[in-house]
Amino acid sequence: MSKVRVGIVGLGSISDMHIQGYLKNQDAELFAVCDMNEARAKQTAEELGVTHYYTDYQEMLSNNEIDAVSICTWNNTHAEIAMAALNAGKNVLTEKPLCKTVEEALAIEEAVRNNPDQFLQIGYVRRFGTNTQVLKRFIDHGELGDIYFSKATCLRVLGNPGGWFADKERSGGGPLIDIGVHVIDLCWYLMGKPKVQSVSGNTYHKLGNRSNIEYKSFYKAADYDAKQNSVEDLANAIIRFENGASLMVDVSFSLHAKKEEIRVSLHGDKGGAEIEPQLEIFTEKNNIMLNSTPQIDHLTFDFAQGFQNEIDHFVNCVKGEEETIAPVEDGVEMMKILTGVYKSSKEKTEVRFD
């Protein structure tokens, strides 16, 4: 086929990673942009030399020249836009999380089934990191054996972006659904995507957005308002899977701690690995415990390259050359996990999926 013509829905900060990815892909053409802020849509189109810009995504989807769309909007709009795009004959790349509820996820999955000529890919961008791809090769060759335990930590001491990120109605939650989804998915993907059996979790609203803190900067959303915050500061959980494996997770926007921390590890009966803060593999040879560090360009997640790999993969899938490694079914299972943590915390009990 000729170049894949792409439309971007939502022109917030994350959209730039999608835009740059398409611009650098020789098989893609950035054909249209859409944002409810007309001035921003027009300015972005002019800066990029894009001839089509819209304020109504439905109007953009009616353009038959568009082959695919990237959804970079608030979480509470992902489901409706994704289903509308699929029904309009477009292939879809939607930012994580897939949506806000399991019910929405199942509805999107049905829309994918009802449109067999289209597909949906979820923006689990860490699957496309060099360190992830290298470790997966080792796992696929049995180097770690049966992976029965993993742990994911992503802690910010001061990192509530505010704005829509801190508005539960639009975001669906705080650090769990924003940054936690990345590290949970990273572990789950490398564990072989086992079915979730139960979730026991806790969420805490203790520190708020810590807007009183001075002399320490952090990322703020464009619509940041220190007075508004309805999401959790911290979430932790233990997730059990049907194959007997388990995953422990703790994530925060605000926390009294020494420093920011990201640490992700997996442990099997033949070996283990730490993928963040950098890739290392642990095993034993000749009755000696051995730690190995691969000689690769990116031992930690490379943000720009990860997004480029994700966009390149999506374009190849639209062209029919590959099959997406982040399909809608994965989003359904992930929404069970995320909503399970919130439900478990609210009801103060373990949530089971039978």
Side-chain angles (χ1 to χ4, degrees):
M1 63 183 298
S2 57
K3 285 191 175 184
V4 174
R5 290 181 168 180
V6 181
I8 308 287
V9 188
L11 297 175
S13 58
I14 199 63
S15 69
D16 189 57
M17 301 308 299
H18 291 246
I19 289 169
Q20 295 305 316
Y22 290 122
L23 291 177
K24 293 175 183 176
N25 186 297
Q26 62 182 3
D27 293 322
E29 177 186 350
L30 190 57
F31 192 77
V33 295
C34 178
D35 195 275
M36 60 184 181
N37 182 327
E38 184 174 7
R40 180 159 66 175
K42 182 179 180 181
Q43 180 181 349
T44 302
E46 290 175 348
E47 290 175 351
L48 297 173
V50 175
T51 56
H52 299 77
Y53 72 89
Y54 303 87
T55 57
D56 182 347
Y57 74 84
Q58 293 280 12
E59 185 180 352
M60 189 186 82
L61 294 177
S62 68
N63 188 326
N64 293 326
E65 295 185 89
I66 296 174
D67 303 305
V69 296
S70 270
I71 300 174
C72 304
T73 56
W74 298 333
N75 298 345
N76 65 331
T77 64
H78 287 184
E80 64 179 70
I81 299 174
M83 288 186 286
L86 290 163
N87 292 333
K90 316 302 183 188
N91 297 291
V92 176
L93 170 57
T94 183
E95 265 300 325
K96 59 75 196 168
L98 175 60
C99 50
K100 283 178 56 180
T101 68
V102 174
E103 291 73 22
E104 285 181 338
L106 291 170
I108 298 170
E109 184 179 37
E110 183 178 4
V112 172
R113 284 197 302 265
N114 291 338
N115 293 279
D117 293 333
Q118 279 70 55
F119 75 97
L120 179 142
Q121 178 175 312
I122 306 168
Y124 295 143
V125 68
R126 283 185 173 266
R127 297 188 183 191
F128 297 91
T130 300
N131 56 348
T132 303
Q133 294 174 337
V134 170
L135 179 55
K136 191 172 189 308
R137 184 178 299 184
F138 278 81
I139 291 172
D140 290 346
H141 282 81
E143 297 290 335
L144 271 60
D146 176 29
I147 300 174
Y148 56 88
F149 173 62
S150 63
K151 191 174 189 306
T153 292
C154 188
L155 301 176
R156 293 179 184 170
V157 297
L158 181 67
N160 185 326
W164 74 269
F165 291 96
D167 178 3
K168 189 175 181 180
E169 179 59 34
R170 287 181 286 173
S171 66
L176 178 68
I177 204 166
D178 181 39
I179 56 178
V181 62
H182 278 306
V183 290
I184 294 171
D185 177 72
L186 184 56
C187 288
W188 182 66
Y189 174 66
L190 292 171
M191 294 171 80
K193 303 193 296 189
K195 290 288 185 182
V196 61
Q197 182 180 70
S198 67
V199 173
S200 183
N202 306 280
T203 61
Y204 297 94
H205 301 70
K206 297 289 187 179
L207 304 181
N209 57 19
R210 303 185 77 183
S211 59
N212 60 297
I213 297 297
E214 301 177 2
Y215 307 114
K216 184 173 175 61
S217 59
F218 61 98
Y219 169 76
K220 295 180 181 179
D223 57 342
Y224 181 85
D225 182 347
K227 298 177 182 178
Q228 296 181 352
N229 180 38
S230 57
V231 300
E232 78 276 8
D233 310 328
L234 169 78
N236 59 44
I238 182 165
I239 303 156
R240 295 182 175 87
F241 300 101
E242 290 182 357
N243 65 353
S246 59
L247 164 60
M248 294 181 66
V249 58
D250 55 339
V251 293
S252 71
F253 274 167
S254 300
L255 187 69
H256 287 305
K258 183 178 179 180
K259 60 181 180 179
E260 279 72 27
E261 179 183 8
I262 179 168
R263 190 169 298 276
V264 180
S265 62
L266 299 100
H267 309 272
D269 58 7
K270 291 185 179 179
E274 192 168 79
I275 192 166
E276 293 291 352
Q278 71 171 35
L279 178 58
E280 290 188 87
I281 298 172
F282 320 120
T283 186
E284 55 182 78
K285 300 287 185 183
N286 304 314
N287 297 324
I288 302 296
M289 296 176 70
L290 182 68
N291 298 348
S292 303
T293 304
Q295 294 191 36
I296 58 176
D297 290 336
H298 303 292
L299 285 169
T300 189
F301 179 65
D302 182 78
F303 196 79
Q305 188 59 52
F307 268 98
Q308 189 64 58
N309 292 344
E310 178 184 65
I311 295 297
D312 291 347
H313 176 66
F314 177 64
V315 171
N316 289 342
C317 291
V318 174
K319 294 173 62 182
E321 297 175 357
E322 298 179 25
E323 186 171 332
T324 181
I325 65 168
V328 65
E329 294 81 9
D330 291 4
V332 173
E333 203 69 13
M334 186 55 57
M335 290 315 301
K336 288 181 181 179
I337 293 172
L338 297 175
T339 58
V341 175
Y342 287 125
K343 182 178 180 181
S344 174
S345 178
K346 182 179 180 179
E347 298 181 356
K348 295 180 172 57
T349 186
E350 183 180 56
V351 174
R352 295 188 63 84
F353 302 92
D354 298 319

